[in-house]
């Protein structure tokens, strides 16, 4: 029987072997690969004709044995050479694997740090697994949400409640928790807080969880603001995200130390980095920051200059605020010669270099007049207290109620709205909001719901809820979505009752529930769980009447209210589980 010759196996690494054996093995493998790529007819490997163990043979597909390169046996030379090459490669692969030297042992992993927080109660731990899995009953039909709660929407609230109570995540839940935080950026702050030091330790072992380490030190934690050496080292050598997080942490602990840290390297930072760092000064902003911000008004970046001006405008005693108040006062005044007081406006005729240095943007947006654009910026940046003096000691309500000549009212009131939001002035916000029952288009300050929502955010939580409740009662839900979004959760009882009544009215009017899907979604997350008992009567399926305009609307509303009630009861059960207390009698399991 013909045999082809295969090179002897290289010396085993487990026996005394010379380096030449290893080199020979590599050379043989390289030659086999080259022949396979080029073809045995063009590059027959010489190793097939070298000495091998006697008796090795391979039958060809035609029944005859194959021979060495260039010699075919009953199957043609090319086919025989190709088969011989495959056999040699297989044999050499086994030899290489058998003679593999063990690599050096990897250093053992550092043990995960201890988390001193208390573990979750058993019921709450099971609920977390359910929420992370996102299990919910399938919708009965395409495009319909069904009556089962949306578990994914309840996870943020569960995380917030668990963190408020000082719990730590179960070790077995950490992978799913990190996966959820990776998929949803809105979950990350609360999810990483619950995951704690063990979650950060685990994130360091999986590249897909590296997001958890961003903004933290190399070990996954920021140095303590009191650790001067560690803070300085990370500030000088850390990644940008780490430095932003470090500055925010130091600023929150010690505003002066944070400012000193930023000032030390300010001149060498890139413009886009300076903008982000400057924004961190909003935390703990005080008159002590004025000198630094005044210098930033001369920055070569327009965005940096604008941010510095915005921060200075929030310091009513600053020299910047005084300059802007002086400019605004020359543009807006009271005409005392008229029969009744009226506000007169003379917008700036130019934007000079001093105004530009103070952050006034000279070029208006498309479609906007230059003079009104400059006026709005001056009034927005002026401290609101200056207008009380300017208008003879009148209150904000009295000032806002004054007529404005020559159609400047909308521009002037909009600028005052922006100033009230920027300066967090509740008295001016109340004046500009006006009574909630007044139609938005005829309100004293603004007809923009977005601006109204921003003004509301400056008011205390209870006052905010009562104002929005009165707005909903007067105008319904069609314009209330943005206003509801700024109300504290859970909604106060008057606001919850107003929303439920408005939904009931919308159902009776024959609307479909998806016209109010945004409000319904907010209600599921924001209504107090105790409101569920007021909704039971709305979950019943009404008797269908012939209705060609909104066929089946009653059934859809019944389903939507069933989901709302089920969600509220589930939220009550979640709270009881986290308190390790018996669930309310009406809460779902």
């Amino acid at each position: 029987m013909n045999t082809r010759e295969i090179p002897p196996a290289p010396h085993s690494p487990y026996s005394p072997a010379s380096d030449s054996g290893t080199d020979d093995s590599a050379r043989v493998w390289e030659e086999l690969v080259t022949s396979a790529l080029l073809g045995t007819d063009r590059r027959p490997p010489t190793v097939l004709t070298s000495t091998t163990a006697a008796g090795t043979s391979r039958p060809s597909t035609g029944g005859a044995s194959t021979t060495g390169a260039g010699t075919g046996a009953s199957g043609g030379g090319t086919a025989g050479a190709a088969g011989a090459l495959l056999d040699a490669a297989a044999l050499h692969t086994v030899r290489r694997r058998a003679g593999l030297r063990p690599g050096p042992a990897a250093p053992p992993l550092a043990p995960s740090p201890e988390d001193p927080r208390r573990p979750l109660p058993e019921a709450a731990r099971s609920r977390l697994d359910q929420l992370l899995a996102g299990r919910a009953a399938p919708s009965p039909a395409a495009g319909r949400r069904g009556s089962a709660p949306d578990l994914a929407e309840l996870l943020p609230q569960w995380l917030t409640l668990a963190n408020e109570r000082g719990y730590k995540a179960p070790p077995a839940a950490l992978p799913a928790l990190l996966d959820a935080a990776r998929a949803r950026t809105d979950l990350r702050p609360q999810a990483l807080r619950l995951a704690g030091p063990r979650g950060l330790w685990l994130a360091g072992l999986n590249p897909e969880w590296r997001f958890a380490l961003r903004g933290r030190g190399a070990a996954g934690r920021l140095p303590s603001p009191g650790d001067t050496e560690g803070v300085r080292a990370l500030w000088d050598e850390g990644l940008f995200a780490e430095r932003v997080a470090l500055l925010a942490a130091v600023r929150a602990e010690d505003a002066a130390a944070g400012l000193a840290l930023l000032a030390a390297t300010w001149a060498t930072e890139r413009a886009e980095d300076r903008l982000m760092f400057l924004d961190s000064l909003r935390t703990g902003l005080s008159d002590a920051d004025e000198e630094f911000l005044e210098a930033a008004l001369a920055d070569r970046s327009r965005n940096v200059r604008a941010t510095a001006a915005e921060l200075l405008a929030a310091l009513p005693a600053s020299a910047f605020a005084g300059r802007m108040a002086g400019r605004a006062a020359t543009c807006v005044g009271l005409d005392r010669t008229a029969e009744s007081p009226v506000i007169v406006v003379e917008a700036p005729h130019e934007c000079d270099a001093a105004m530009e240095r103070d952050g006034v943007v000279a070029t208006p947006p498309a479609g906007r007049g230059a003079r009104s654009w400059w006026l709005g910026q001056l009034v927005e940046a002026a401290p609101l207290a200056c207008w009380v003096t300017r208008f003879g000691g009148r209150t904000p309500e009295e000032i806002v109620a004054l007529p404005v000549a020559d159609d400047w009212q909308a521009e002037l009131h909009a600028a005052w709205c922006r100033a009230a939001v920027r300066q967090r002035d509740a008295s001016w916000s109340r004046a500009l909001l006006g009574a909630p029952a007044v139609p938005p288009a005829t309100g004293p300050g603004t007809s923009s719901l977005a601006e109204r929502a921003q003004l509301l955010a400056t008011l205390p939580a209870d006052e905010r809820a009562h104002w929005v409740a009165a707005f909903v009662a007067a105008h319904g839900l069609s314009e209330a979505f943005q206003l509801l979004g700024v109300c504290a959760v859970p909604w106060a009882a008057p606001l919850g009752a107003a929303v439920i009544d408005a939904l009931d009215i919308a159902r009776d009017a024959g609307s479909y529930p998806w016209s109010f899907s945004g409000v319904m979604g907010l209600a599921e997350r924001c209504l107090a769980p105790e409101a569920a008992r007021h909704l039971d009567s709305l979950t019943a399926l009404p008797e269908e009447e012939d209705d060609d305009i909104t066929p089946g609307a009653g059934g859809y509303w019944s389903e939507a209210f069933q989901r709302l009630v089920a969600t509220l009861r589930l939220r009550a059960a979640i709270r009881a589980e986290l308190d390790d207390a018996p669930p309310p009698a009406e809460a779902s399991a």
Side-chain angles (χ1 to χ4, degrees), residues 221-387:
R221 290 177 228 171
L222 292 172
S224 166
D227 180 6
T228 308
E229 239 179 76
V231 166
R232 188 67 206 197
L234 184 58
W235 180 251
D236 291 338
E237 303 170 9
L239 300 174
F240 172 67
E242 293 173 331
R243 300 178 73 214
V244 169
L246 177 67
L247 179 60
V250 174
R251 181 75 178 176
E253 183 81 13
D254 185 342
L259 179 63
L261 192 66
L262 178 58
T265 60
W266 178 259
T268 61
E269 304 289 355
R270 300 182 306 168
E272 55 268 32
D273 294 352
R274 292 199 303 276
L275 180 62
M276 290 291 292
F277 292 144
L278 194 63
D279 201 60
S280 298
L281 297 187
R282 296 181 192 277
T283 302
L285 183 67
S286 70
D287 291 336
D289 302 313
E290 181 182 356
E291 182 180 354
F292 181 84
L293 293 172
E294 273 284 345
L297 288 174
D299 195 90
R300 57 185 179 273
S301 166
R302 186 180 71 179
N303 291 332
V304 171
R305 294 197 302 271
T307 301
E310 182 183 346
L311 294 174
L312 283 167
L315 299 174
S318 66
F320 170 88
R323 294 194 299 270
M324 299 305 277
R327 293 180 181 121
T330 64
C331 299
V332 182
L334 197 62
D335 183 2
R336 301 180 187 275
T337 63
E339 292 183 5
S340 58
V342 60
I343 296 175
V344 291
V345 175
E346 180 66 28
H349 290 274
E350 65 172 344
C351 180
D352 57 33
M355 289 168 61
E356 288 196 63
R357 182 190 178 276
D358 280 345
V360 177
V361 179
T363 306
R368 181 79 180 272
R371 295 183 66 197
S372 65
W373 171 246
W374 301 330
L375 173 72
Q377 294 180 78
L378 295 181
V379 173
E380 177 183 352
L384 288 164
C386 77
W387 300 113

Side-chain angles (χ1 to χ4, degrees), residues 143-195:
R144 295 175 61 176
R145 289 181 56 193
S147 59
D150 187 342
L151 299 185
E153 290 302 316
L154 292 178
L155 182 55
Q157 195 168 107
W158 188 98
L159 292 170
T160 300
L161 292 173
N163 284 322
E164 287 174 353
R165 288 155 176 75
Y167 288 118
K168 62 180 176 181
L174 287 174
L177 188 62
L178 290 170
D179 280 339
R182 176 173 174 258
R184 292 178 56 181
T185 55
D186 63 307
L187 294 178
R188 289 183 182 177
Q190 294 291 347
L192 294 180
R193 182 178 168 189
L194 185 72

Side-chain angles (χ1 to χ4, degrees), residues 447-461:
S447 59
S448 165
L449 290 173
E451 287 180 330
R452 285 192 167 208
Q454 292 176 330
L455 291 171
L456 280 168
T458 68
L459 302 181

